[in-house]
Amino acid sequence: MKIGVNNISLELHYGAKVKDAILKYYSQQGKKLPRPFPRIEDGYGNRVDPEGGLTDGNSLFIRSGDSKGTMLLQLLLILFLSGFLSACSSYRKAATIRGNERQAVIFAVNDMHATIDNFPKLAYITDSLRAIYPDMLLVGAGDNQTGNPVNDQYPERGLPMIELMNATGFDLSAVGNHEFDSSPEGFSNLISKADFDFICANMSADNPDDFKIEPWKIITLPNGLRLAFLGLVQINRNGIPDSHPEKLKGFTFRSPFEAARDYFWLREKSDIFIALTHIGFESDIKLAGIMSPVLDLIIGGHSHTRVEKEQIHNGIMITQADHKLNYGTLIRLSLKNDGSLERSMQLISIRKAKSENPAIRAMVDKYNDNPHLSEVIAWASDDFSSKEELGYLMADAQRDAAAADIAFVNPGGVRIRSLEKGPVRIMDIYQLDPFGNELIVTRLSGKEIHSLMLSAYPMDDRQPVFSSGIFTVLKPGAEGELSDVTLLTGSGSPLDMDKTYTVAMNSYMTQVYQYKHSDPGQSLFITTADALISYLKKNQNIKSYRNEKRYRIER
């Protein structure tokens, strides 16, 4: 897909994130990525997180530092939070001044990605807000799951997030692309244990009785206001959300924009019409253009956009609150006697809250005391005494997970230098591969693989990449640079330069290496660490890689 960074067009693999686009931008400019990671904004001045999702045609801009206005806003929000409980009576007094106007209040979060450690602060804030607004709704805009091994590797994958959302009092959740990561059976089980509803209008299940997901939901508040929520999830070029295709078997998806057109009638069934989406901020703007006659509000997710001030597009207010429970959006909707709707939003920092809900803290502490991460998933028959040996194991696993002809692992992607003979735990794998890079499959010709090898050598400080399914002969020049490389198959015959091969590698490599290729690649929407965990669980007995060499240097 094509993404613009500082008005420069870049070709990225499908499923790429913001960080991938920024890495590629700096790589093409011949510059190193600055530390700390630069501030990134979209074309509307909203800050976006490096882990945010992208869709074809998105625009990003690199900015230098936070503005004074943003810093002042955060200071005011901290002061606002600190005075919640003491200010309850004055807020109630202000509310009575509105006379017969009816008010709906919503606290919205998105892309929590299993950040369970911020739940005690979230619960404290929602408790404080409910003291002011007893009928406040708590909603999530999808991607509740995936991003924390404590939750993701729990015996019943994803259950800690569902139990914490239940205990915190969620009313509603959109379906995000990462809701499918626990497999259809796992997702069905999590839905059955949720005390809140999931909604999504542009998906259907082959067995709907197993998936209690409705396209929409109307919630009637005690004051009589009817709020209609319509759920929508992002769809990529393959017609499915950004998740591993195997996890999406049994589901059918269609364009969120086409689906939305079928629900204009919800306007007549409600006083306030809200889209609860997981399609990204720029797609929310497109949705606003389609639904401007009927829609009042879009609460969005997927792009990890931090909307700090009111964004009105085609007469519709659009909100989004960063990710990982760093922030939440407090939304006030007042329906006046003449039928007009007054809207306001306020971004509230969750991570900077000074207090916690003790009951939720106790739940989180119990989850974090997780012996499952010490689970033995395989047995090493020999010591791994070098990064090279571990890199070959990782490459073999990635090649297997992608069913690819060839796999490559960059030396910097191997983060431990040795692993002792004996039991291998889940935690060992997350120490070996901690980055969360996704596994990408690209179709490359022999010539393009040759180009990749020449690019990789200087990028990796003149170290060869670790490979599977291929043997390389490196020929350094007089100054130590790589003058040429010969590519051989596993049997020792020359690689066909005109043949196309499937090549697996991590998402970092696809963005940083500058080489000739026509296929930008496709993410499998699993991390390389999870690919290795699955490989070890399947094989269990790890062969010895002692003295294994998949390259040689000819001078």
Side-chain angles (χ1 to χ4, degrees), residues 37-339:
F37 200 90
R39 176 190 175 105
I40 310 302
E41 294 180 357
D42 62 18
Y44 302 91
N46 301 305
R47 187 163 184 172
V48 291
D49 184 81
E51 295 294 330
L54 295 171
T55 54
D56 199 19
N58 283 175
S59 295
L60 302 172
F61 296 89
I62 301 171
R63 308 299 188 198
S64 55
D66 290 329
S67 68
K68 293 181 179 179
T70 300
M71 295 172 64
L72 177 60
L73 176 62
Q74 293 305 312
L75 177 60
L76 290 174
L77 290 177
I78 294 168
L79 293 173
F80 171 75
L81 274 176
S82 65
F84 263 153
L85 292 175
S86 63
C88 287
S89 60
S90 62
Y91 271 92
R92 290 197 180 99
K93 181 178 179 181
T96 62
I97 297 173
R98 294 186 176 275
N100 294 324
E101 292 177 10
R102 291 180 293 170
Q103 186 179 49
V105 179
I106 302 169
F107 193 67
V109 295
N110 57 273
D111 299 275
M112 293 187 285
H113 286 293
T115 311
I116 66 173
D117 293 299
N118 278 353
F119 256 85
K121 293 182 177 182
L122 170 66
Y124 167 76
I125 289 172
T126 54
D127 290 344
S128 302
L129 284 167
R130 286 178 179 131
I132 305 166
Y133 309 110
D135 302 321
M136 183 187 78
L137 300 178
L138 177 60
V139 303
D143 272 9
N144 311 317
Q145 300 291 346
T146 304
N148 179 357
V150 171
N151 175 77
D152 302 344
Q153 299 298 327
Y154 199 74
E156 187 175 341
R157 177 172 178 154
L159 184 61
M161 276 298 295
I162 295 297
E163 292 182 339
L164 285 167
M165 291 175 74
N166 287 342
T168 309
F170 273 77
D171 296 284
L172 202 59
S173 176
V175 173
N177 52 294
H178 283 292
E179 260 61 72
F180 299 95
D181 289 352
S182 57
S183 77
E185 296 78 13
F187 187 22
S188 174
N189 189 52
L190 294 179
I191 291 171
S192 70
K193 294 185 177 180
D195 295 339
F196 52 92
D197 294 313
F198 285 89
I199 58 171
C200 187
N202 61 317
M203 65 165 282
S204 58
D206 294 348
N207 298 308
D209 291 341
D210 295 335
F211 294 91
K212 304 299 183 183
I213 299 175
E214 299 294 337
W216 54 272
K217 182 177 178 64
I218 293 179
I219 298 176
T220 303
L221 299 179
N223 62 12
L225 275 180
R226 298 166 302 165
L227 276 62
F229 290 87
L230 179 69
L232 297 167
V233 69
Q234 163 265 353
I235 302 298
N236 62 31
R237 65 163 180 167
N238 296 319
I240 56 176
D242 287 347
S243 187
H244 196 292
E246 289 294 319
K247 305 292 179 69
L248 299 169
K249 288 184 176 179
F251 297 100
T252 302
F253 301 91
R254 62 180 177 137
S255 161
F257 309 110
E258 293 177 4
R261 290 186 173 95
D262 294 341
Y263 293 92
F264 275 48
W265 57 268
L266 279 172
R267 170 79 276 169
E268 302 303 319
K269 296 288 186 179
S270 61
D271 300 299
I272 301 173
F273 189 7
I274 302 166
L276 186 62
T277 73
H278 193 83
I279 61 177
F281 186 83
E282 294 191 27
S283 293
D284 283 332
I285 294 174
K286 180 179 178 181
L287 179 67
I290 294 170
M291 301 195 73
S292 59
V294 296
L295 203 61
D296 298 303
L297 170 69
I298 298 174
I299 299 172
H302 185 60
S303 55
H304 299 190
T305 305
R306 187 192 306 176
V307 179
E308 297 179 307
K309 58 184 179 180
E310 289 184 7
Q311 290 267 359
I312 307 294
H313 296 271
N314 291 291
I316 299 170
M317 186 165 76
I318 304 176
T319 73
Q320 198 173 147
D322 202 274
H323 78 320
K324 291 188 175 180
L325 291 177
N326 288 321
Y327 298 89
T329 306
L330 180 64
I331 303 164
R332 298 182 185 89
L333 306 165
S334 296
L335 188 63
K336 296 183 178 182
N337 297 332
D338 62 4

Side-chain angles (χ1 to χ4, degrees), residues 531-549:
L532 180 53
I533 289 171
S534 297
Y535 180 76
L536 295 180
K537 284 183 174 180
K538 181 171 68 175
N539 293 282
Q540 294 191 336
N541 292 315
I542 309 171
K543 71 173 187 176
S544 174
Y545 285 79
R546 184 184 293 268
N547 299 322
E548 181 145 355
K549 284 285 183 183

Side-chain angles (χ1 to χ4, degrees), residues 374-394:
S374 299
E375 176 188 348
V376 175
I377 56 173
W379 190 272
S381 62
D382 198 356
D383 292 332
F384 285 83
S385 58
S386 69
K387 292 179 68 173
E388 182 180 343
E389 293 175 5
L390 289 165
Y392 293 150
L393 171 64
M394 294 168 69

Side-chain angles (χ1 to χ4, degrees), residues 333-396:
L333 306 165
S334 296
L335 188 63
K336 296 183 178 182
N337 297 332
D338 62 4
S340 62
L341 184 66
E342 182 181 280
R343 301 164 297 188
S344 67
M345 57 79 64
Q346 184 171 22
L347 193 68
I348 293 175
S349 175
I350 296 173
R351 59 187 171 86
K352 291 183 179 180
K354 302 300 182 184
S355 300
E356 297 184 339
N357 179 304
I360 303 299
R361 167 48 62 193
M363 291 179 66
V364 171
D365 288 345
K366 184 177 179 180
Y367 294 131
N368 282 331
D369 183 19
N370 186 356
H372 188 65
L373 290 177
S374 299
E375 176 188 348
V376 175
I377 56 173
W379 190 272
S381 62
D382 198 356
D383 292 332
F384 285 83
S385 58
S386 69
K387 292 179 68 173
E388 182 180 343
E389 293 175 5
L390 289 165
Y392 293 150
L393 171 64
M394 294 168 69
D396 286 346

